[in-house]
Amino acid sequence: MAVIALEGMKFYAYHGVYEAEKKIGTDYVVDVFVQTNIGAATASDKVESTLNYEAVYQICRAEMAKPRQLIEAVLGGIIQAMKRQFPQMLALK
């Protein structure tokens, strides 16, 4: 078992309750930590056997691009997309 981490992903997005937040936007930094079993990946040395870092980044990028009022809603979107893409995921932070 291992934790795969993508830290410091930077996105410019338009989340917020107030009109100024929605119009001006701001910088966000996203960190993702995924707990998974890496046994198959260590044996095969193939990206198909593990969580693809690029796919994790693309999920975060796509969800950050959807304007929402609450960061909690953005987080929920990331969680749901990660669950669909990586059913082998044991934990997500």
Side-chain angles (χ1 to χ4, degrees):
M1 206 164 329
V3 174
I4 294 175
L6 277 79
E7 298 179 89
M9 294 182 284
K10 295 182 182 180
F11 304 99
Y12 197 85
Y14 299 88
H15 306 301
V17 174
Y18 303 106
E19 285 305 313
E21 295 173 308
K22 295 174 187 178
K23 288 181 183 178
I24 298 169
T26 194
D27 290 310
Y28 292 87
V29 178
V30 177
D31 299 326
V32 174
F33 302 87
V34 183
Q35 186 176 15
T36 188
N37 186 332
I38 61 168
T42 59
S44 71
D45 194 29
K46 296 191 184 295
V47 72
E48 297 84 13
S49 302
T50 191
L51 298 174
N52 184 321
Y53 290 53
E54 181 181 5
V56 173
Y57 176 84
Q58 292 301 333
I59 287 169
C60 294
R61 182 174 161 258
E63 293 301 321
M64 288 299 293
K66 298 175 187 175
R68 294 186 172 105
Q69 289 189 58
L70 302 176
I71 293 299
E72 293 85 348
V74 178
L75 174 61
I78 291 171
I79 290 168
Q80 292 307 312
M82 290 285 291
K83 284 181 177 180
R84 281 190 304 273
Q85 181 79 26
F86 305 112
Q88 74 273 30
M89 183 175 64
L90 301 174
L92 175 65
K93 177 180 172 188

